Amino acid sequence: MKFCYADESGHWGEITVIVGIVVDAMRMNRTKDDWEALLTDLDQISDRRVFEIKGRELYRGNAYWREWDGGERSALISNIIQWMVDRKHSITFGAVSKARLADAHSRETIDGFEDAKEWTIAAFHLLLSIQKRYQGEQKNKGNTLFIFDDVSERGGLLDLVDSPPPVTHGFYGLKKKQRPLDQVIDVPYFADSRHVGLIQVADLFAYILHLYAEISEGFSNEKFDGEFARLEQWIDQMKPVLMQDSVRWAQGSKDPCTLFFRSIAPPSLLRVAA
């Protein structure tokens, strides 16, 4: 059994990214204890002002992080990424370009996604990619419970999970006697990120991927020399545990659902973990 902790990068810019961190249940307690120890250290350093790590605030030096210079914050981010790599937890993501989705809606989108918003589509894409990645594991080891940060858009995702559009079956190759989304335990749950450390880690990773895509595609400019190169370094650091691109949007696939997700994806994120 696995847990997937997921969060988005925030409602800003032209791109939506949702990252999921997949943890095997057998190693869950050790991971939670280690994360709580890190937060305790930061809490003591900050005189009890760090309640949770928010990716954007840490990266930009806002809130408590104003007391840390850029080098210190950068080192902490690198350490958090390495912390995840050392524990060998898997990372994947769903991503949507707002302009490309609007274009798809203006032409002809596929059944089941006609009125879906960016967050809902990115979250369901994340869920489908994990279904695809783990459905071959034996003895229920691929069964996954999803925990998202609490959001107002959750109703759309719950509807899709409750009744997956038939067109999505081809994304992961549903077999004749297989139940749709058979690796998803129950429906996704939603929690306050202040109380769930791995949702905070997902938020940080989502921010890095989001900003990388925004700068790559010309929606944002570098705020300092070498910013884009630093983002590339962090993504390279993630690669040992980042699920392959083929799990999200397989190249050469003729499956309509896969083609739809590719068509609305930020081009810069289509090949980050080849």
Side-chain angles (χ1 to χ4, degrees):
M1 176 181 171
K2 304 180 190 302
F3 293 87
C4 176
Y5 296 90
D7 199 8
E8 65 171 325
S9 51
H11 294 284
W12 62 279
E14 298 302 316
I15 290 165
T16 296
V17 178
I18 299 179
V19 163
I21 295 173
V22 183
V23 181
D24 192 284
M26 297 295 291
R27 295 187 288 142
M28 191 67 244
N29 288 338
R30 170 69 184 275
T31 296
K32 289 176 66 177
D33 290 346
D34 288 351
W35 182 255
E36 288 171 4
L38 171 62
L39 286 183
T40 298
D41 289 344
L42 291 174
D43 203 34
Q44 292 172 349
I45 293 170
S46 67
D47 194 24
R48 301 187 182 280
R49 281 176 285 174
V50 177
F51 300 104
E52 65 176 318
I53 291 179
K54 285 289 189 182
R56 187 183 181 102
E57 291 181 352
L58 170 57
Y59 182 87
R60 292 300 183 195
N62 295 326
Y64 159 69
W65 305 106
R66 290 190 181 93
E67 301 177 16
W68 294 48
D69 65 33
E72 291 173 323
R73 298 196 311 276
S74 178
L76 177 57
I77 292 172
S78 296
N79 289 340
I80 292 173
I81 295 172
Q82 193 58 47
W83 179 87
M84 180 62 58
V85 172
D86 289 344
R87 281 150 188 79
K88 299 180 180 179
H89 301 319
S90 296
I91 305 168
T92 191
F93 62 91
V96 174
S97 163
K98 296 177 183 179
R100 289 163 71 89
L101 178 61
D103 181 61
H105 281 330
S106 69
R107 291 181 286 105
E108 183 179 359
T109 190
I110 60 176
D111 293 341
F113 294 98
E114 297 88 345
D115 301 315
K117 304 299 183 182
E118 296 94 357
W119 185 93
T120 301
I121 292 175
F124 195 62
H125 183 206
L126 168 74
L127 187 146
L128 287 171
S129 72
I130 292 176
Q131 165 75 31
K132 181 178 180 178
R133 169 63 181 83
Y134 291 116
Q135 65 183 358
E137 294 198 2
Q138 301 299 313
K139 297 182 180 179
N140 297 325
K141 291 183 179 180
N143 288 2
T144 305
L145 182 68
F146 290 80
I147 303 99
F148 288 82
D149 190 21
D150 200 11
V151 292
S152 59
E153 300 96 329
R154 58 185 176 272
L157 176 62
L158 294 174
D159 288 342
L160 285 172
V161 173
D162 183 59
S163 183
V167 71
T168 64
H169 299 169
F171 183 92
Y172 55 92
L174 181 73
K175 296 178 175 58
K176 286 186 177 180
K177 295 184 179 181
Q178 182 182 4
R179 178 175 56 83
L181 299 181
D182 63 348
Q183 296 305 300
V184 179
I185 299 175
D186 206 348
V187 295
Y189 289 83
F190 296 84
D192 188 330
S193 61
R194 290 178 298 176
H195 306 303
V196 186
L198 288 178
I199 290 180
Q200 298 173 39
V201 181
D203 172 78
L204 173 61
F205 291 1
Y207 186 80
I208 291 169
L209 288 165
H210 187 159
L211 186 57
Y212 168 84
E214 291 273 340
I215 295 176
S216 293
E217 298 176 24
F219 298 123
S220 298
N221 297 319
E222 287 187 311
K223 295 294 192 295
F224 56 87
D225 290 340
E227 181 177 19
F228 185 72
R230 180 176 294 174
L231 294 168
E232 287 184 309
Q233 290 173 355
W234 283 332
I235 292 173
D236 282 342
Q237 191 182 356
M238 291 180 201
K239 283 184 178 179
V241 291
L242 189 58
M243 290 184 193
Q244 292 184 329
D245 300 319
S246 58
V247 171
R248 290 177 289 278
W249 25 57
Q251 287 194 355
S253 173
K254 296 182 180 179
D255 167 60
C257 186
T258 302
L259 292 173
F260 171 69
F261 284 124
R262 284 185 63 86
S263 74
I264 64 172
S268 59
L269 295 181
L270 286 172
R271 291 184 62 79
V272 295

